[in-house]
Amino acid sequence: MTNFLSLADVTNVDALIQSGRDAKANPFADQQLGKNKTIGLIFFNSSLRTRLSTQKAAQNLGMNVMTMNVGQDSWGLEMEEGVLMNADKAEHVREAAAVMGRYCDIIGIRAFAELQDRDKDYREQVMHQFATYAKVPIVNLESATRHPLQSLADCITIEESKTVKRPKVVLTWLPHFKPLPQAVANSFCEWMNARALSGDVDFVVTHPKGYELAPEFVGNTPVIYDQNEAFKGADFIYGKNWSSYTQYGQVLTQDPSWAVTMDDLRLTNDGKFMHCLPVRRNLKVSDEVLDSPSSLVIEQAANREWSAQAVLKEILSTI
Ligand code: SN0
């Protein structure tokens, strides 16, 4: 693996999930692999789990870690090509990425969707600019359209928590007053579609009308507009808010009936609740659900360390 930008960079999903589970069982087995290697973690947006878990995973592999918040710690970065730089951005990504590539053996980048211009977001300009100009492997720490380290952690969590061979997994939209990116939902669809294809899960999506995700992510997944119907017999309910893709970046409804409560869990097959965090209590999901044994949110977050370790291990073995 050279870059880890999306599922397309993974040759064997099963093996990567197993590698994460192996790291969890034996975190320091590969401590020599990253010795004298440096990872730079570059954030254009806030982070708690991604920053700490990726740093921890890199350290478990013996790597040195540097972290930077762009714009706060560094100069503001100009990402547009061929512009006259006479405004607030002091440095161009061409130089910034090239310099970082000289200090780092691997670079992780977080750059959320701006939710203004759909074509621009879905072109994944920032990830591609860093990959081009840094000339070292790039790890996606949540880009405009995807969050693959989260999806890998979610696959690990489902594998270790499932009680049936082929669990039913439901992705549900949750209410929120702010427009959030589609990245987590897109990525979850991308990875669950692959798991469904290999017979490891049954996967359905439920959301209000107007919240259809990009067709390239949904694929042939059944979309059910009745949330209660979708929840019937579910083994895992994966909650996430996202803003509209079709009316790009808009909040079309905040219907509180879409929040997940104990009544919803009672429709399921002793279903477990999953969410990538951060989650706003009682807006998206009730206290009762989050504080019940049915919640897997802390396990999922814990598994971020092992998903990052599996990915870094694979990249380190190629450089
Ligand atoms: C981000 C998102 O992509 O939805 C990161 C998730 C890992 N979430 C948020 O920005 C939540 C912000 C909020 O105010 O609730």
Side-chain angles (χ1 to χ4, degrees):
M1 192 190 293
T2 24
N3 295 318
F4 182 70
L5 300 180
S6 78
L7 180 70
D9 295 312
V10 179
T11 42
N12 187 333
V13 179
D14 274 317
L16 200 60
I17 293 171
Q18 191 52 50
S19 170
R21 298 184 74 180
D22 293 346
K24 186 171 188 170
N26 196 357
F28 307 114
D30 298 297
Q31 263 205 320
Q32 292 308 309
L33 196 61
K35 194 170 174 340
N36 297 333
K37 295 275 193 292
T38 297
I39 185 167
L41 303 176
I42 311 298
F43 290 90
F44 286 83
N45 316 93
S46 306
S47 174
L48 187 153
R49 279 147 293 277
T50 299
R51 177 169 173 160
L52 297 180
S53 65
T54 311
Q55 175 163 356
K56 182 90 185 301
Q59 288 168 343
N60 292 346
L61 292 164
M63 299 188 81
N64 301 314
V65 183
M66 300 191 295
T67 303
M68 199 173 74
N69 298 318
V70 176
Q72 288 166 265
D73 305 343
S74 73
W75 305 105
L77 286 193
E78 178 60 61
M79 311 303 289
E80 296 308 319
E81 305 285 358
V83 291
L84 172 66
M85 288 174 57
N86 64 353
D88 55 331
K89 311 268 176 61
E91 178 151 22
H92 200 277
V93 65
R94 281 181 180 249
E95 285 76 43
V99 168
M100 289 174 194
R102 300 296 281 268
Y103 301 146
C104 301
D105 301 282
I106 301 175
I107 296 178
I109 310 278
R110 163 161 287 193
F112 287 175
E114 291 171 355
L115 298 176
Q116 303 298 323
D117 177 342
R118 186 170 89 180
D119 288 343
K120 183 172 175 227
D121 283 345
Y122 275 68
R123 269 200 302 275
E124 291 286 14
Q125 185 191 26
V126 180
M127 291 294 134
H128 292 131
Q129 282 173 316
F130 270 91
T132 305
Y133 302 133
K135 297 190 170 70
V136 296
I138 300 297
V139 176
N140 183 340
L141 304 179
E142 187 174 338
S143 68
T145 69
R146 291 175 174 89
H147 194 358
L149 282 177
Q150 180 65 50
S151 306
L152 176 55
D154 298 335
C155 289
I156 294 171
T157 308
I158 289 170
E159 275 312 298
E160 66 185 10
S161 314
K162 72 183 186 186
T163 54
V164 294
K165 193 168 177 301
R166 186 173 174 158
K168 177 179 173 182
V169 180
V170 182
L171 169 65
T172 183
W173 179 91
L174 304 176
H176 201 317
F177 57 92
K178 266 172 65 177
L180 299 191
Q182 293 107 31
V184 171
N186 283 345
S187 245
F188 191 68
C189 285
E190 191 161 68
W191 289 66
M192 280 303 118
N193 282 339
R195 302 299 286 156
L197 212 59
S198 56
D200 291 288
V201 300
D202 286 321
F203 182 50
V204 305
V205 177
T206 182
H207 55 69
K209 290 227 164 76
Y211 281 93
E212 290 74 16
L213 292 162
E216 65 263 34
F217 290 101
V218 182
N220 295 322
T221 306
V223 176
I224 301 171
Y225 293 103
D226 178 339
Q227 193 191 45
N228 286 350
E229 190 57 38
F231 282 173
K232 279 184 195 153
D235 298 289
F236 295 94
I237 291 182
Y238 193 98
K240 182 72 186 83
N241 169 267
W242 61 88
S243 59
S244 177
Y245 171 77
T246 47
Q247 289 167 258
Y248 195 62
Q250 302 294 307
V251 174
L252 306 177
T253 175
Q254 298 178 40
D255 182 353
S257 73
W258 280 82
V260 172
T261 65
M262 277 303 192
D263 283 342
D264 293 312
L265 288 194
R266 280 188 269 277
L267 299 170
T268 68
N269 176 36
D270 192 19
K272 302 287 181 273
F273 178 79
M274 298 177 71
H275 190 283
C276 64
L277 303 180
V279 72
R280 290 175 181 254
R281 284 174 168 256
N282 303 313
L283 181 71
K284 294 165 142 185
V285 51
S286 69
D287 278 342
E288 223 187 337
V289 170
L290 282 172
D291 298 331
S292 78
S294 301
S295 171
L296 289 178
V297 299
I298 306 300
E299 278 315 307
Q300 263 177 282
N303 284 335
R304 291 294 308 278
E305 181 174 350
W306 316 118
S307 73
Q309 194 160 329
V311 167
L312 294 180
K313 178 179 170 179
E314 190 149 334
I315 294 175
L316 281 169
S317 64
T318 66
I319 59 177

